[in-house]
Amino acid sequence: LTDAAILVPNGTGIDADDDLNIVLEGSSTVKGGSYGVASDGNLTILPFGSAGGLTTGGAVGISVVSGNVAISGGADVKATGDNSYGIYAKDGGVTIQGEGTKVDAQGVNYVGGNGIYSKTGVEISGAEVTANGFYGISTGGGVTISGGADVDITGAKMYGIMATGGSVCIEDDGTKVDAEVKNYNGIGIYGLKDIRISGAEVKASGNYGISANTGVTISSGAQVKATGAGESGLFGGYSGDIIIQGEGTEVTVAGGENGGGLQAPASITVKDGAKVTATGKQYGIMAMGTLTVTGGEVIADGTPNGQGIYRGNLKTTLPVREGDTARTARASSVDYSQGDKTTAKYVAINVDFTITFDANGGRCSVTTADTNKDGRLITLPTAARTDYTFEGWYTGKEGGTKITTDTMFSENTTVYAHWKDAGNQPPADEPGDEPGDEPGDEPGDDPGGNDKPYWPGYDPGGND
């Protein structure tokens, strides 16, 4: 299509019984009363060169019956379904990829309509996508968003992203997803299976912000903000764990009147430097199993009506700062299974541990150092001892385990210098030597080094 304009008021703008390849040069418009573009096979849209635009619309903007939809190469496509779907792949998948590729898919004026619908799955990589409708993106498979893609689903009415047959994977630095549902009976991001967010920046809101039936994993420096207007900000579903891990990973969740910030029917784990802030009207965090915090930071606030942490066990290797109140999460297991009602703020936060350096017979200018927030030392001092070689710091005065800057401490600890004889010391006296004997002298030898035998009255200098 080269700057084409096709209008078929009572039918389909472009209709193919088999595969359809559309190559765009310039900007074209294709509209039909029923379908803008329809194909019974696969549909491929790409530009001739580095750019090309297509605006298509109808009751359904783009419809594919038995094949897949692929948009790539920097194509700029706007597909509007006036009464149904923006892009509809009845039995296939939808792939949108490539830097510079842009897709705006709108399903309007139809309950159950979608910006993008696919039976088998949706993959978006590197592209810029806007998708809105009753559902923004909906699929009977899974959803993968990666490669620095920018996905905007801020106008969906019920679900921003809904995957009923596979995982939702949002990954890679630079990838952004904004799924903020306007109707607060809906869900920002929903997965019938699990949701995995790695390195990406994600915002989600609805009645639930993010919900997955079989668990949620957030890692590798991901930045996630999830808000539940009525229920929970982040919900692990009915059988899944929530795992939040990795240095630089930050999760901020807030719950509404009937829920909390972070909720899992099983267990919640925060580790390896991740940070979680969870607030809610009923509770900050609800873990029906256990909440485990190792090398991470968790702030859970249920004020003013509920409690910070509700039910389950709180287990953490992290001690309490001096002066913390009794309502602060402790290092030992704390059982809130009775639903301890309080307006207190529960905090399980890793603290600086003090590591004491025992030179163990040598000298060290550093006697103590504090760990960073994940329990590790940034640097290790050196020690010195005359005629000995320093071998490092160990957990035992003799023996023990050698420590490094990768060692994670969970309490205040003393470490000991270990030494190896450098071979520069005078050899020790042989067993049986008299004081002052040269090494190797026989007992009774002249202390002055003259090996002549001597006895009382005998002059060792040779004068009888």
Side-chain angles (χ1 to χ4, degrees):
L1 297 176
T2 302
D3 293 323
I6 301 173
L7 177 61
V8 183
N10 297 316
T12 300
I14 296 177
D15 193 358
D17 293 333
D18 205 339
D19 292 347
L20 174 62
N21 298 321
I22 298 178
V23 180
L24 303 171
E25 185 174 21
S27 297
S28 296
T29 300
V30 178
K31 293 187 176 182
S34 299
Y35 303 96
V37 174
S39 170
D40 287 344
N42 296 309
L43 171 63
T44 301
I45 302 175
L46 70 163
F48 181 78
S50 60
L54 173 64
T55 299
T56 183
V60 178
I62 293 174
S63 175
V64 171
V65 175
S66 59
N68 302 312
V69 176
I71 303 172
S72 63
D76 188 344
V77 176
K78 183 173 183 178
T80 302
D82 295 329
N83 293 304
S84 186
Y85 302 92
I87 297 175
Y88 177 67
K90 181 177 181 293
D91 292 324
V94 174
T95 301
I96 304 169
Q97 62 184 2
E99 185 176 353
T101 301
K102 297 180 180 181
V103 172
D104 185 346
Q106 304 291 327
V108 297
N109 298 327
Y110 179 73
V111 175
N114 296 240
I116 298 173
Y117 171 79
S118 160
K119 182 177 181 179
T120 60
V122 175
E123 295 185 16
I124 302 171
S125 177
E128 182 179 326
V129 175
T130 301
N132 290 305
F134 196 74
Y135 304 92
I137 296 174
S138 175
T139 178
V143 174
T144 300
I145 302 172
S146 63
D150 191 340
V151 178
D152 185 336
I153 314 173
T154 55
K157 296 178 178 62
M158 185 57 68
Y159 290 87
I161 295 174
M162 182 172 73
T164 59
S167 300
V168 177
C169 300
I170 305 172
E171 54 196 23
D172 300 332
D173 291 346
T175 299
K176 296 181 180 180
V177 174
D178 193 343
E180 299 184 64
V181 175
K182 301 304 181 185
N183 184 333
Y184 289 119
N185 290 319
I187 299 174
I189 301 174
Y190 171 72
L192 189 61
K193 292 189 176 181
D194 65 320
I195 293 175
R196 300 192 293 270
I197 302 173
S198 173
E201 180 181 331
V202 176
K203 295 180 182 179
S205 66
N207 191 39
Y208 292 90
I210 296 173
S211 176
N213 276 16
T214 59
V216 178
T217 300
I218 302 173
S219 63
S220 303
Q223 305 291 298
V224 177
K225 183 177 181 180
T227 303
E231 301 291 341
S232 297
L234 177 55
F235 180 55
Y238 298 101
S239 61
D241 297 328
I242 294 176
I243 300 171
I244 301 171
Q245 62 189 3
E247 193 71 38
T249 301
E250 293 190 15
V251 176
T252 302
V253 289
E257 294 293 335
N258 301 314
L262 191 62
Q263 179 182 356
S267 298
I268 298 172
T269 300
V270 181
K271 61 181 181 178
D272 300 338
K275 180 178 180 179
V276 175
T277 302
T279 60
K281 300 293 179 64
Q282 297 300 319
Y283 46 84
I285 294 177
M286 175 188 281
M288 301 303 288
T290 59
L291 168 63
T292 304
V293 183
T294 53
E297 179 177 328
V298 173
I299 298 175
D301 191 353
T303 59
N305 302 320
Q307 56 270 19
I309 298 171
Y310 177 64
R311 299 180 70 89
N313 295 320
L314 172 64
K315 293 181 178 179
T316 171
T317 62
L318 308 173
V320 181
R321 290 180 186 274
E322 185 177 355
D324 277 351
T325 68
R327 293 299 186 187
T328 302
R330 297 178 180 275
S332 59
S333 174
V334 180
D335 187 359
Y336 293 105
S337 60
Q338 300 304 311
D340 180 19
K341 294 286 185 180
T342 175
T343 59
K345 183 175 183 179
Y346 291 81
V347 181
I349 183 169
N350 57 332
V351 300
D352 301 331
F353 303 119
T354 298
I355 309 304
T356 301
F357 298 96
D358 185 329
N360 198 13
R363 303 178 303 279
C364 182
S365 60
V366 177
T367 56
T368 62
D370 290 336
T371 65
N372 60 16
K373 292 299 183 183
D374 65 0
R376 295 180 174 91
L377 292 168
I378 301 299
T379 60
L380 292 174
T382 58
R385 183 179 178 184
T386 303
D387 295 324
Y388 285 85
T389 300
F390 176 60
E391 293 190 307
W393 299 100
Y394 288 75
T395 55
K397 196 175 184 72
E398 295 181 0
T401 302
K402 186 176 183 178
I403 69 162
T404 69
T405 52
D406 290 327
T407 301
M408 181 181 290
F409 295 91
S410 59
E411 59 185 352
N412 296 334
T413 303
T414 297
V415 295
Y416 301 87
H418 279 202
W419 304 101
K420 181 179 180 180
D421 188 337
N424 297 325
Q425 296 188 103
D429 288 340
E430 294 289 338
D433 281 354
E434 295 292 337
D437 281 355
E438 291 295 325
D441 280 351
E442 295 295 329
D445 280 355
D446 178 3
N450 191 333
D451 288 341
K452 291 181 180 180
Y454 72 97
W455 51 86
Y458 174 75
D459 180 1
N463 298 318
D464 291 333

mmCIF file of all heavy atoms in Angstrom, residues 42 100 122 150 212 282 415 418 441:
data_model
loop_
_atom_site.group_PDB
_atom_site.id
_atom_site.type_symbol
_atom_site.label_atom_id
_atom_site.label_comp_id
_atom_site.label_asym_id
_atom_site.label_seq_id
_atom_site.Cartn_x
_atom_site.Cartn_y
_atom_site.Cartn_z
ATOM 1 N N ASN A 42 -2.380 -16.188 7.774
ATOM 2 C CA ASN A 42 -1.502 -15.303 8.538
ATOM 3 C C ASN A 42 -1.548 -13.892 7.960
ATOM 4 O O ASN A 42 -1.698 -13.696 6.755
ATOM 5 C CB ASN A 42 -0.061 -15.816 8.484
ATOM 6 C CG ASN A 42 0.095 -17.163 9.144
ATOM 7 O OD1 ASN A 42 -0.334 -17.363 10.275
ATOM 8 N ND2 ASN A 42 0.702 -18.117 8.436
ATOM 9 N N GLY A 100 10.999 1.134 16.984
ATOM 10 C CA GLY A 100 10.333 1.997 16.023
ATOM 11 C C GLY A 100 8.955 1.515 15.609
ATOM 12 O O GLY A 100 8.174 2.276 15.046
ATOM 13 N N VAL A 122 0.479 -13.469 23.208
ATOM 14 C CA VAL A 122 0.885 -12.155 22.715
ATOM 15 C C VAL A 122 2.345 -11.929 23.079
ATOM 16 O O VAL A 122 2.733 -12.109 24.247
ATOM 17 C CB VAL A 122 0.014 -11.030 23.304
ATOM 18 C CG1 VAL A 122 0.529 -9.655 22.875
ATOM 19 C CG2 VAL A 122 -1.445 -11.210 22.896
ATOM 20 N N ASP A 150 7.519 -0.535 25.324
ATOM 21 C CA ASP A 150 6.775 0.434 26.128
ATOM 22 C C ASP A 150 5.294 0.190 25.875
ATOM 23 O O ASP A 150 4.787 0.462 24.789
ATOM 24 C CB ASP A 150 7.168 1.856 25.731
ATOM 25 C CG ASP A 150 6.628 2.902 26.696
ATOM 26 O OD1 ASP A 150 5.666 2.586 27.425
ATOM 27 O OD2 ASP A 150 7.143 4.030 26.708
ATOM 28 N N ALA A 212 -2.026 -13.188 40.376
ATOM 29 C CA ALA A 212 -1.653 -14.405 39.643
ATOM 30 C C ALA A 212 -2.064 -15.611 40.465
ATOM 31 O O ALA A 212 -1.780 -15.684 41.663
ATOM 32 C CB ALA A 212 -0.156 -14.433 39.375
ATOM 33 N N GLN A 282 -6.561 -2.917 55.758
ATOM 34 C CA GLN A 282 -6.765 -4.065 56.634
ATOM 35 C C GLN A 282 -5.441 -4.638 57.148
ATOM 36 O O GLN A 282 -5.347 -5.063 58.292
ATOM 37 C CB GLN A 282 -7.539 -5.149 55.888
ATOM 38 C CG GLN A 282 -8.935 -4.741 55.476
ATOM 39 C CD GLN A 282 -9.813 -4.378 56.662
ATOM 40 O OE1 GLN A 282 -9.785 -5.045 57.697
ATOM 41 N NE2 GLN A 282 -10.586 -3.312 56.526
ATOM 42 N N VAL A 415 36.106 -11.854 63.687
ATOM 43 C CA VAL A 415 36.896 -12.662 62.753
ATOM 44 C C VAL A 415 38.372 -12.534 63.132
ATOM 45 O O VAL A 415 38.786 -11.546 63.761
ATOM 46 C CB VAL A 415 36.657 -12.238 61.296
ATOM 47 C CG1 VAL A 415 35.219 -12.522 60.890
ATOM 48 C CG2 VAL A 415 37.003 -10.780 61.064
ATOM 49 N N HIS A 418 44.719 -15.016 60.209
ATOM 50 C CA HIS A 418 45.497 -16.253 60.181
ATOM 51 C C HIS A 418 46.858 -15.949 59.559
ATOM 52 O O HIS A 418 46.964 -15.138 58.625
ATOM 53 C CB HIS A 418 44.770 -17.343 59.387
ATOM 54 C CG HIS A 418 43.714 -18.046 60.181
ATOM 55 N ND1 HIS A 418 43.246 -19.294 59.862
ATOM 56 C CD2 HIS A 418 43.037 -17.683 61.302
ATOM 57 C CE1 HIS A 418 42.334 -19.675 60.728
ATOM 58 N NE2 HIS A 418 42.175 -18.707 61.611
ATOM 59 N N ASP A 441 74.689 -28.002 68.962
ATOM 60 C CA ASP A 441 75.671 -28.375 69.984
ATOM 61 C C ASP A 441 75.183 -29.590 70.744
ATOM 62 O O ASP A 441 73.984 -29.772 70.978
ATOM 63 C CB ASP A 441 75.885 -27.222 70.955
ATOM 64 C CG ASP A 441 76.824 -26.169 70.389
ATOM 65 O OD1 ASP A 441 77.429 -26.436 69.326
ATOM 66 O OD2 ASP A 441 76.908 -25.082 71.006
#
